[in-house]
Amino acid sequence: MTSNINNIRIHCFDYPRDRVIGDSQIASSKVWIGALELFDANGQSGLGFFQSLTAPLPEAKVIRTLLESSRLDGILGQPPEALIHKISRPRGGNIQQLPYHLDQAIDQALWDLTAKRADLPLYKLLGGNSSQVKAYGSGVCFHLSDQQVTSFYEKAIKHNFSGYKVKIGHPDLAWDIKRLQLVSDIIGKDKLLMIDANEAWSPKEAIAKIRAYEKAGLDIFWVEDPILRHDIAGLQEVKAGLKDTYLNAGEYLPLSGKKALVDNHAADIINIHGDFSAALKIGWLCAEKGIPIALGNTPMEMGAHIASALPEVIYTEHSMLNWDDIIETPFTVKDGYILLPDVSGHGLTLSELAIKELTPSCA
């Protein structure tokens, strides 16, 4: 008889980041991350993560109450194998997303638990066949000084990533150019240089800025989210106006928004994240049209499992964030690749020391 899900546990962590991260819009100096565990009747568990960038998470008991009022009835008593494939009918009042990426955490936990019950590494359950996933280094360093940025990227190059990304979008064009030249000098001309503007510009600004970078001798591989996420016509304008730089878009869009980018040829590269179920769907659409995918930041780089399974993924982001402090064994990075462990599930487990010392609340 199938052992169904019968319990949930929530941990909320609050501790300092090892550096201030952010973009031209926000800055974050604290790690506010939560862990969600789903248990079946045999005691096996699946683990997912949720987070907040701009304010502390509520106590774990508040998160649990929120889930009990909106999601748990559809999860408890069910086998995870059925839930990962379930198609819901969004209508009226049930069209709502939970805060803090909680739906994504549930999805991650369900896939982790399903893979454990199948005794397979998650990337194999998803259809992947390689435990080595190509990554690029990402500083998320917009608010750091030049000296701090230099220190970060000098350490990052030890991983020998073949590409590195830089946050830009400063009102002063000279600031952007100086920052990009600084990083380019550190990583070397043989490495790809990506930029992320986090919707800082209008379409015409985006084209003008990138041309200015090129005129300054900077070779940009891709520009990520240069303008507002829903501006399909504007993204088409930017895409058409770029000569050698690829347009990477979709980070902030749900599945339907990513589909609109594909349908309207509004991006060269589609950006996806850590919702495994949605990633498989957009991966299918991109594969049908041969559109490359970039996998953005995911907690503890667990999205590398998705990257292994989707043939269109060209890169997975690795920002070297210290949210790994709550994990027993983080994924290893070697010669520019994330190495996935040969264990069932996604291979990430909570650190008992972190549970005791990083002031979590539990429910």
Side-chain angles (χ1 to χ4, degrees):
M1 182 177 179
T2 301
S3 173
N4 295 335
I5 298 169
N6 72 352
N7 197 14
I8 183 172
R9 183 165 62 195
I10 305 290
H11 293 280
C12 291
F13 298 87
D14 182 339
Y15 60 98
R17 294 189 182 275
D18 57 0
R19 68 186 190 275
V20 176
I21 68 164
D23 54 41
S24 59
Q25 320 301 323
I26 65 168
S28 174
S29 61
K30 297 290 289 292
V31 177
W32 292 305
I33 193 165
L36 181 152
E37 295 177 283
L38 296 175
F39 295 86
D40 67 16
N42 292 328
Q44 280 193 306
S45 65
L47 176 63
F49 298 95
F50 56 97
Q51 65 173 312
S52 173
L53 278 176
T54 56
L57 291 167
E59 291 187 4
K61 63 182 180 181
V62 175
I63 298 292
R64 186 183 184 97
T65 299
L66 177 61
L67 293 173
E68 288 172 346
S69 67
S70 61
R71 292 293 189 275
L72 288 192
D73 279 349
I75 295 174
L76 297 180
Q78 301 295 317
E81 294 84 355
L83 293 173
I84 60 173
H85 297 299
K86 183 177 180 179
I87 297 175
S88 61
R89 188 182 188 199
R91 295 290 187 275
N94 74 355
I95 302 179
Q96 54 179 305
Q97 286 186 322
L98 290 174
Y100 315 118
H101 305 285
L102 279 162
D103 283 315
Q104 184 170 283
I106 293 170
D107 182 78
Q108 292 166 355
L110 288 171
W111 278 98
D112 183 33
L113 180 53
T114 299
K116 286 177 179 176
R117 286 156 59 112
D119 195 24
L120 287 172
L122 181 52
Y123 74 90
K124 290 186 177 180
L125 179 72
L126 291 165
N129 56 21
S130 176
S131 62
Q132 300 185 48
V133 176
K134 189 177 182 181
Y136 69 90
S138 178
V140 207
C141 290
F142 187 86
H143 298 279
L144 300 188
S145 67
D146 287 348
Q147 183 177 357
Q148 290 169 320
V149 168
T150 297
S151 176
F152 175 83
Y153 281 97
E154 285 179 344
K155 293 175 183 176
I157 59 176
K158 72 179 181 181
H159 295 301
N160 197 28
F161 295 119
S162 58
Y164 293 83
K165 191 171 76 177
V166 183
K167 294 286 188 182
I168 42 79
H170 197 281
D172 181 1
L173 174 63
W175 187 99
D176 278 352
I177 291 175
K178 180 183 178 184
R179 177 59 54 93
L180 291 172
Q181 288 175 332
L182 174 66
V183 175
S184 179
D185 289 344
I186 294 169
I187 66 174
K189 297 296 184 182
D190 60 325
K191 306 297 184 183
L192 297 178
L193 182 64
M194 299 93 149
I195 59 174
D196 187 353
N198 295 96
E199 303 184 331
W201 304 320
S202 69
K204 291 190 182 302
E205 279 183 302
I207 295 169
K209 298 273 188 179
I210 293 166
R211 288 176 179 169
Y213 301 154
E214 292 171 344
K215 188 175 180 180
L218 295 160
D219 186 12
I220 307 299
F221 178 60
W222 81 45
V223 56
E224 189 171 326
D225 292 315
I227 68 170
L228 292 172
R229 66 200 76 180
H230 298 294
D231 187 357
I232 295 294
L235 288 166
Q236 290 173 325
E237 180 182 349
V238 173
K239 181 170 174 278
L242 300 180
K243 182 180 179 183
D244 298 316
T245 299
Y246 292 95
L247 172 59
N248 178 330
E251 175 180 5
Y252 305 114
L253 293 174
L255 177 59
S256 59
K258 290 176 170 63
K259 181 178 182 298
L261 294 179
V262 173
D263 290 342
N264 290 281
H265 307 282
D268 296 303
I269 301 167
I270 302 297
N271 194 310
I272 67 173
H273 280 276
D275 185 320
F276 287 80
S277 298
L280 292 176
K281 296 180 178 69
I282 194 63
W284 182 86
L285 290 173
C286 289
E288 189 177 55
K289 295 193 175 183
I291 299 175
I293 293 172
L295 198 133
N297 270 323
T298 57
M300 328 305 163
E301 286 67 56
M302 72 159 63
H305 285 279
I306 302 172
S308 174
L310 299 181
E312 305 304 326
V313 173
I314 57 173
Y315 265 120
T316 298
E317 185 170 11
H318 196 310
S319 294
M320 294 149 278
L321 299 169
N322 69 318
W323 52 21
D324 282 349
D325 290 355
I326 68 170
I327 291 299
E328 286 288 357
T329 307
F331 295 158
T332 299
V333 180
K334 183 178 180 181
D335 291 331
Y337 286 79
I338 297 170
L339 307 184
L340 296 170
D342 187 23
V343 298
S344 61
H346 55 48
L348 298 168
T349 57
L350 289 176
S351 162
E352 292 299 324
L353 182 62
I355 291 173
K356 293 177 182 178
E357 295 187 355
L358 296 181
T359 61
S361 61
C362 178

